[in-house]
Structure formats: structure tokens, C-alpha cells
Amino acid sequence: MSCRHSDALVIQFAKAPRPGCVKTRMQPTLDAEACAALHRRLVTYTFDTLSQMQLCAFELWADEPRYDSFFAGLRPRRPVRRQRGTDLGARMYHALATALADHERVVLVGSDCPFLNATHIEEALARLRAGDVVVLGPAVDGGYVLIGARRVDRVLFSDIPWGTAGVLAATRGQLQALGWRWSELAPLADIDTAADLKLLHSLENF
């Protein structure tokens, strides 16, 4: 399969679907097993969406790549690599730094936003090519669902209140401190709480 952006890579971050450890803010509307099942579906839906793109190379980075048969079932279709770091910021920095050693532009996305598609990835890559050092895809809850970069620094992921509504604002502050040019895409919704479940009705084949 030919790719339009041979110098670029998309990375999907995913957590192992361990009951009691994923989608916990869905409880008590969903029990632990149902939360894990939803998480598996979100990971797979995003994986399928990104796998079907013909934009650039794509890899899945998992926190526990050998977890049960879940990641093993995805591995034959795309590379599955292991996240490394003591917290989310460290893991994101490591993944971007590793990927940027071999690619000019890297876009990293999570697995909680099934509304992300090839159009968003294409726009992020275009902005990076046009000169932005970083591109952010804001989440409506105050975080972000996508980060694209041509350069990376640990500062970008330091002192960020991960898992709160202050993630995007804190990241903007770090970008200002670095003096880097950046831009932002239109906000998208994450599927994090029971109130978000109704948003899934708008998706085909979910």
C-alpha cells in the first residue's frame, strides 16, 4: 500500500483492557467488565480507522503489548510496540522522541476518540509540513485527543495535570515557554463518562 506522506508516522496509544483499570469513570452505569469491553471496542475502532488510511505509516503502542490475546490479535495487521515511562507524559515523550529519530513528522493519538478520522490526521500533517512545530487536537473536556510534532522536548509533558480539564491549558503554557509555533484543530469529544455514551449513536459500525 502506497502512502502519501512517506516521512510521517501515526502512533495510536492504547491501554490493556484490564477490568477495573479502564473506563472507570463509566461506573456505576457500566460494571468493570462492561467498561473493559467498551475500551476494547474503542481501541479496535480507532485501530481499524487508522489502519485503513493511506496517508503514512501507522503503529500501535500499548502499555502491556503481551496482554492476553487482545493485542496479539492486532499485531499481525500492524506493529505493536511497548510504551515506556513512569507516567503518561513520559510515555508520550518516549514514543515521540523514538519516532522522530526516523520520521520528519509524527502524530500521536489516543484510543478514546472514535470521531477522529483521516481528515484530522491529514490536516495535522499538513500543518506540520507548513511550519508548525506542534499541532494539538483539543478534546471538549479540556484535554487533547491528538498531538503532532516535528520536534519534542520533555518540557512539553512536564507538570501537566493528566486526566483533568487542565491538560490543554497547561500544554499551551509549556508551548509558550518553549517559544514554539503551534496550532490547534477543531475540538472533538472523548468517550470517558456515562454521559458520553449517547455520542456513540452517531457512529456507523461502532
Side-chain angles (χ1 to χ4, degrees):
M1 180 177 65
S2 61
C3 296
R4 295 202 294 274
H5 302 276
S6 59
D7 66 336
L9 173 70
V10 171
I11 293 172
Q12 178 187 355
F13 255 32
K15 294 176 65 176
R18 191 181 298 280
C21 298
V22 293
K23 294 296 164 206
T24 55
R25 284 189 282 171
M26 292 287 177
Q27 299 178 21
T29 302
L30 301 180
D31 63 20
E33 291 293 339
C35 287
L38 173 61
H39 176 74
R40 284 193 294 271
R41 184 67 191 118
L42 287 166
V43 172
T44 303
Y45 190 90
T46 300
F47 181 87
D48 289 342
T49 298
L50 298 176
S51 293
Q52 292 165 11
M53 296 188 313
Q54 297 185 24
L55 298 176
C56 61
F58 164 53
E59 296 176 350
L60 175 67
W61 287 54
D63 63 344
E64 297 180 52
R66 292 186 177 85
Y67 182 79
D68 204 325
S69 61
F70 179 66
F71 291 124
L74 302 177
R75 187 174 293 110
R77 296 168 55 193
R78 295 284 175 164
V80 178
R81 304 185 65 174
R82 183 179 180 181
Q83 300 174 20
R84 297 188 182 277
T86 56
D87 62 18
L88 178 59
R91 294 193 295 272
M92 292 173 70
Y93 169 78
H94 172 261
L96 286 170
T98 299
L100 285 168
D102 297 313
H103 300 84
E104 293 294 324
R105 297 169 293 162
V106 178
V107 173
L108 188 154
V109 305
S111 296
D112 298 323
C113 179
F115 311 102
L116 195 68
N117 58 40
T119 300
H120 304 106
I121 304 297
E122 180 81 85
E123 184 174 356
L125 291 173
R127 293 188 185 200
L128 292 172
R129 174 166 282 173
D132 287 344
V133 179
V134 168
V135 177
L136 296 174
V140 296
D141 63 3
Y144 56 82
V145 302
L146 172 155
I147 181 168
R150 292 190 295 115
R151 190 190 320 166
V152 70
D153 191 296
R154 291 184 188 276
V155 170
L156 189 58
F157 304 102
S158 300
D159 301 318
I160 306 295
W162 302 110
T164 75
V167 169
L168 182 60
T171 302
R172 289 170 178 154
Q174 298 299 55
L175 284 164
Q176 290 173 339
L178 288 165
W180 287 1
R181 170 178 159 179
W182 88 92
S183 65
E184 298 179 12
L185 307 179
L188 294 171
D190 271 336
I191 304 300
D192 285 328
T193 68
D196 299 327
L197 291 173
K198 63 181 182 294
L199 301 176
L200 296 175
H201 298 314
S202 66
L203 293 173
E204 295 183 7
N205 305 317
F206 186 85

